[in-house]
């Protein structure tokens, strides 16, 4: 090999032309394995549902509902007790009809009183039971008061949930602790932070 041939080969290797070497085969595109995707053990775990930190615990909600129920039950028992002295015991068909009419009047009055009580409490944010346990019912998005229309809708839905032996109240066991009466009025029950005592 003469000098010219060696010089030309050096120029080609330095950039004068392409240097041929072993062919490099690119990696094929990796596609997901259908067998791995169908395996539930290999699937990524779903993200856990987040719960707002101000939501009232179920214990607080149950305590407030229990106190409200005891209050209304005391009113109803007092009305029945008073009616039992006013209306004589049903010994005749006429007396039985009078007794049934009196009890229906008592039940209707107490139900109307409960509807007004819960409507005012929902509209203003707190019933007596909620005030004692430290909870408040507010709008789901704005965290403001519900107002009278939503307060009435929530109170009416409470009666509907109580018809099947109270089983409708179990709807508060959902992830956001919102029962059907909360969903119907776009409401949520939150905890009220304790106010610091004045020095």
């Amino acid at each position: 090999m003469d000098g010219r041939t060696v010089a030309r080969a050096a120029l080609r290797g330095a950039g004068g032309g392409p240097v041929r070497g072993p062919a490099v085969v690119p990696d094929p595109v990796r596609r997901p394995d259908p067998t791995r995707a169908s395996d539930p053990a290999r699937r990524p775990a779903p993200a856990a549902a987040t719960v707002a930190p101000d939501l009232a615990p179920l214990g607080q909600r149950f305590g407030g509902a229990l106190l409200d129920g005891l209050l209304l039950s005391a009113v109803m028992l007092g009305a029945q007790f008073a009616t039992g002295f006013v209306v004589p015991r049903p010994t005749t068909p006429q007396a039985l009809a009078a007794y049934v009419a009196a009890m229906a009047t008592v039940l209707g009055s107490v139900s109307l009183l409960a509807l007004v009580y819960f409507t005012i409490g929902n509209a203003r944010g707190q019933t007596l039971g909620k005030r004692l346990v430290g909870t408040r019912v507010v709008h789901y998005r704005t965290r403001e008061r519900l107002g009278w229309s939503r307060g009435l809708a929530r109170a009416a839905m409470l009666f509907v949930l109580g018809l099947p032996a109270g089983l409708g109240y179990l709807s508060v066991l959902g992830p956001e602790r919102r029962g059907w009466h909360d969903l119907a009025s776009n409401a949520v029950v939150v905890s009220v932070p304790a106010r610091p005592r004045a020095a």
Side-chain angles (χ1 to χ4, degrees), residues 54-65 68 121 125-138 188-193:
D54 60 343
L55 291 184
L58 294 178
Q60 273 188 314
R61 296 196 61 172
F62 176 76
D68 289 331
Q126 284 182 314
T127 58
L128 181 59
K130 286 183 174 60
R131 182 181 294 272
L132 292 177
V133 300
T135 59
R136 180 184 298 274
V137 56
V138 294
V188 65
V189 179
V190 298
S191 295
V192 179

Side-chain angles (χ1 to χ4, degrees), residues 179-199:
W180 294 336
H181 54 302
D182 297 321
L183 297 176
S185 57
N186 200 14
V188 65
V189 179
V190 298
S191 295
V192 179
R195 297 180 179 178
R197 295 182 179 181

Side-chain angles (χ1 to χ4, degrees), residues 8-59:
R8 290 176 183 176
L11 289 175
R12 289 179 182 179
V19 178
R20 303 184 177 220
V24 179
V25 180
D27 294 338
V29 179
R30 296 183 179 180
R31 298 180 180 179
D33 189 359
T35 58
R36 295 186 60 183
S38 60
D39 188 2
R42 298 178 179 271
R43 294 178 184 176
T50 57
V51 179
D54 60 343
L55 291 184
L58 294 178

